[in-house]
Amino acid sequence: MTITTEAEGLSPSETLKKTPSVSSLRSSTSSLFRDSWFRWDVTPSEWDILCLSTTLKLLLFPAYRSTDFEVHRNWLAITHSLPISKWYFDTTSEWTLDYPPFFAYFEKLLSIPAALVDPKIVDVNNLNYDASSVVAYQRTTVILTELVLGVVLLRFIRGSVEPSIQRIISASIFLHPGFLVVDHIHFQYNGFMYGILLWSVLFARNGNKLASGILFAVLLNFKHIYMYLAPAYFVYLLRSFCISPTGQIHVKNFLSLANAVIAVFVVSLGPFALMGQIPQLLSRLFPFTRGLNHAYWAPNFWALITAADRVLLKYAQLTGANIAIQESGVASSSRGLVGDTVFAVLPNVKPFHTFVITVAFQLIWLVKLWRNPSYKSFLTALTLSGWTSFLFGWHVHEKAVLLVLIPLSLLAAERQAYFRTFVLASVAGVFSLFPLIFTPAESIIKVIYSTLWIAAVYIPLSRRVYEYPKSLSYVIMDTLEKVYLAGFPFLLVFVSVFPLSRKVSTPAANCVATDGFSCPESQLDMGTTASVLEFLPLMITSIYCAVGLVWSFMRLGFIYLQEETKYQGQLSEIK
């Protein structure tokens, strides 16, 4: 993997020489697109990966699909059948448009050929339409738009100091089980949007920071979940592009970046601002009435806290201990229901609490990034910023773990410490996505595919970076981490054969599962005595995966801060 570091400790004159003008940045950007991006120098092995992965995705056309499939079909219909003034007001379907405008424009573009393929696809009143034509069309759009990711990953290889290693990393991202599960079975467009993210990161690696900032602004207007990464981008671009190492402000660079980002938001939000619809749009993008946990639960810090509350509740009920119990919290957060999470014993967590904790942790990484605005520091801080939001954010979806796993992949081959962190987080993160796919045939596919993927990545990279533990503490940590990883096969067996995982609390006939394994409380029959154990496999999956993701987060944070300390010491010696 190529690591491009910015010059440190330059004199003002040297800094000015190394700071490109706006015109030169435009020239270099156009040259990059002209000379590099459209030159198809793809090797046979890379074509093989593309062909094999595409074949598998085509075979998955008839596979299970979640309600997200109907969500995106409905958005095709909304953007095609209705005027733009009604896009964010339409409530014909319960799956209302709640992504930023660029994604709505994206759906509008996709709706044009969709209407030619089958006019019923874009009929806004044709709810839950699932003919073979719409299945084939929407599945195909995911495959085609994901090529953005593929092209970007090829460019990572071409500009790398060690192409053979970067080829493994690029292949691992393109073939990531998370994309297979979430996009090509469950159904979303994450591959396309992570392609834009990595495109922006690639520009940062290559020193084209203006283009990097523009692309990230574009990405924010496709899906607002990426705002969790915005603080890292802001600090990095401000410190490395707008301010010299000596503290001088590059006014031209600052204005160029600010104007470009503003222009992106004007294009995105301008039409809705002119119609006075910004408040309505924001109410769709940020529905704060949702609870702390997404049912049932994302493997983050709050999953551990919620589990602790369940344990304390059971302890109080069994022992009769003098512990205050909130009756409203006895049933909440224990059955995978869609709605708010109310604790029975522990104090309830509010959105403000999650915001403060998230900001506090992010500030640690941002301060370090400010002091060392190199590419590697940026990439690590970017990963940790997304990770912080995943672990401590409000109503986090399990699918958001990709916000951690994808940028972390670019750090996997740095050295053993990064690689072990990558392995722990990848295994826990991918396994945490398994409950999204619960049908028998697809369950076999997700397990076999994920196992083959981790083996294909682990074997070649471990040979390159493995280091023997150098102290007793490292031996103990290494052993415990291996024991943790060895527990996943046993966890898989448990959640697969647990007799109560699918048999109790039968949903009503008209139950609509919002995430593949849970229904609104009003649609569940909780009359059976064993119903309290129905979601035990899901709870244990969340807790076990959360342990690995929290530990990996602490691991990467320690590595980042430790390396930053070494960097500051070296810089002091130079001065």
Side-chain angles (χ1 to χ4, degrees):
M1 176 178 142
T2 301
I3 298 298
T4 304
T5 56
E6 284 72 14
E8 300 289 346
L10 298 177
S11 65
S13 60
E14 292 172 321
T15 301
L16 290 176
K17 290 179 182 178
K18 287 183 173 287
T19 303
S21 64
V22 175
S23 60
S24 65
L25 282 170
R26 291 172 181 166
S27 175
S28 64
T29 304
S30 62
S31 175
L32 178 62
F33 277 97
R34 182 178 64 253
D35 298 333
S36 299
W37 286 88
F38 298 111
R39 187 178 62 203
W40 290 90
D41 50 345
V42 183
T43 66
S45 62
E46 291 161 353
W47 278 118
D48 290 343
I49 289 175
L50 176 62
C51 292
L52 289 173
S53 64
T54 302
T55 300
L56 174 60
K57 295 163 188 174
L58 291 172
L59 292 173
L60 288 174
F61 272 22
Y64 162 81
R65 54 190 181 273
S66 74
T67 52
D68 278 345
F69 185 86
E70 169 61 15
V71 169
H72 288 278
R73 190 217 59 81
N74 184 58
W75 292 358
L76 289 174
I78 289 174
T79 55
H80 186 85
S81 304
L82 301 178
I84 189 174
S85 60
K86 296 184 179 180
W87 286 2
Y88 287 96
F89 284 90
D90 180 72
T91 57
T92 305
S93 167
E94 62 180 308
W95 313 119
T96 54
L97 181 60
D98 58 5
Y99 273 24
F102 274 0
F103 200 91
Y105 303 154
F106 170 72
E107 294 277 10
K108 174 67 174 179
L109 288 175
L110 293 182
S111 73
I112 297 172
L116 300 176
V117 171
D118 182 352
K120 293 181 180 179
I121 296 176
V122 293
D123 183 352
V124 75
N125 294 308
N126 191 22
L127 303 182
N128 300 311
Y129 184 56
D130 62 352
S132 58
S133 57
V134 65
V135 172
Y137 179 76
Q138 290 192 221
R139 295 283 198 197
T140 301
T141 60
V142 174
I143 294 174
L144 292 178
T145 56
E146 194 179 52
L147 292 177
V148 173
L149 175 64
V151 173
V152 171
L153 292 170
L154 286 177
R155 303 323 308 171
F156 266 99
I157 298 171
R158 300 303 181 262
S160 176
V161 172
E162 298 178 284
S164 61
I165 297 300
Q166 183 59 51
R167 184 171 287 108
I168 297 171
I169 294 173
S170 290
S172 74
I173 295 175
F174 189 71
L175 301 173
H176 203 284
F179 291 140
L180 187 81
V181 169
V182 178
D183 285 7
H184 299 284
I185 300 180
H186 192 270
F187 195 85
Q188 283 189 359
Y189 290 90
N190 287 286
F192 166 64
M193 287 183 285
Y194 278 96
I196 301 175
L197 174 63
L198 294 186
W199 192 358
S200 174
V201 171
L202 178 62
F203 274 130
R205 190 197 73 172
N206 294 342
N208 197 337
K209 294 162 189 172
L210 178 60
S212 177
I214 293 172
L215 272 177
F216 183 70
V218 169
L219 180 63
L220 283 177
N221 285 278
F222 268 98
K223 192 171 183 179
H224 48 303
I225 190 176
Y226 295 100
M227 65 186 293
Y228 297 143
L229 306 179
Y233 265 94
F234 175 79
V235 170
Y236 174 66
L237 294 175
L238 180 65
R239 181 66 178 85
S240 65
F241 183 64
C242 301
I243 300 177
S244 72
T246 58
Q248 293 180 329
I249 298 177
H250 298 309
V251 178
K252 288 185 177 180
N253 288 357
F254 178 80
L255 292 177
S256 298
L257 181 61
N259 289 334
V261 171
I262 291 172
V264 170
F265 278 86
V266 167
V267 172
S268 173
L269 302 175
F272 302 95
L274 292 175
M275 293 183 290
Q277 294 185 5
I278 295 299
Q280 172 64 17
L281 192 153
L282 293 177
S283 70
R284 286 285 182 88
L285 299 185
F286 303 102
F288 290 111
T289 56
R290 295 175 179 175
L292 172 66
N293 293 322
H294 179 59
Y296 190 104
W297 313 318
N300 61 8
F301 180 75
W302 303 121
L304 299 179
I305 296 299
T306 309
D309 181 74
R310 296 293 96 186
V311 171
L312 290 174
L313 173 62
K314 291 299 179 184
Y315 172 78
Q317 291 175 333
L318 293 174
T319 65
N322 187 20
I323 299 177
I325 297 176
Q326 301 181 58
E327 292 300 325
S328 60
V330 173
S332 176
S333 74
S334 63
R335 294 180 178 136
L337 306 180
V338 177
D340 199 6
T341 299
V342 181
F343 291 153
V345 178
L346 298 177
N348 286 314
V349 178
K350 303 298 182 183
F352 177 73
H353 301 147
T354 65
F355 175 78
V356 170
I357 295 173
T358 300
V359 171
F361 271 98
Q362 284 197 343
L363 283 175
I364 299 174
W365 325 128
L366 298 179
V367 168
K368 296 303 180 181
L369 177 59
W370 179 270
R371 296 167 63 186
N372 175 23
S374 68
Y375 167 72
K376 181 181 174 183
S377 178
F378 164 63
L379 184 56
T380 311
L382 185 74
T383 305
L384 286 168
S385 293
W387 212 331
T388 299
S389 299
F390 177 79
L391 291 183
F392 303 107
W394 178 264
H395 196 80
V396 175
H397 288 230
E398 59 283 318
K399 296 181 287 290
V401 75
L402 292 174
L403 203 63
V404 175
L405 302 183
I406 301 307
L408 180 63
S409 299
L410 295 175
L411 294 165
E414 287 299 315
R415 58 187 177 90
Q416 170 66 13
Y418 285 97
F419 177 67
R420 175 58 69 84
T421 305
F422 162 78
V423 171
L424 289 166
S426 295
V427 174
V430 169
F431 197 98
S432 72
L433 295 173
F434 280 5
L436 291 173
I437 310 299
F438 55 88
T439 46
E442 288 79 4
S443 295
I444 295 173
I445 293 172
K446 73 186 180 185
V447 172
I448 294 176
Y449 184 86
S450 299
T451 303
L452 292 174
W453 178 84
I454 193 64
V457 177
Y458 180 85
I459 293 173
L461 290 185
S462 63
R463 290 173 180 170
R464 167 184 165 80
V465 302
Y466 183 74
E467 299 175 2
Y468 289 100
K470 299 177 181 179
S471 66
L472 178 60
S473 60
Y474 283 117
V475 170
I476 294 174
M477 184 173 70
D478 181 72
T479 302
L480 291 176
E481 290 173 347
K482 289 179 178 177
V483 170
Y484 173 77
L485 291 171
F488 277 97
F490 297 99
L491 176 60
L492 177 63
V493 171
F494 172 76
V495 300
S496 300
V497 303
F498 186 71
L500 298 178
S501 61
R502 303 274 184 250
K503 294 181 180 179
V504 296
S505 298
T506 305
N510 62 344
C511 171
V512 178
T514 60
D515 53 9
F517 50 78
S518 62
C519 297
E521 186 170 10
S522 61
Q523 298 182 24
L524 286 176
D525 175 16
M526 290 296 179
T528 59
T529 57
S531 63
V532 293
L533 295 178
E534 180 183 6
F535 293 97
L536 181 62
L538 296 169
M539 181 181 72
I540 293 179
T541 297
S542 296
I543 294 171
Y544 198 80
C545 293
V547 169
L549 287 167
V550 170
W551 169 249
S552 302
F553 168 75
M554 296 168 57
R555 215 178 187 282
L556 184 62
F558 176 79
I559 294 168
Y560 184 46
L561 298 180
Q562 183 186 49
E563 289 192 345
E564 191 66 24
T565 301
K566 291 180 179 179
Y567 166 82
Q568 292 298 329
Q570 293 169 356
L571 186 60
S572 299
E573 292 177 4
I574 294 174
K575 292 181 178 180

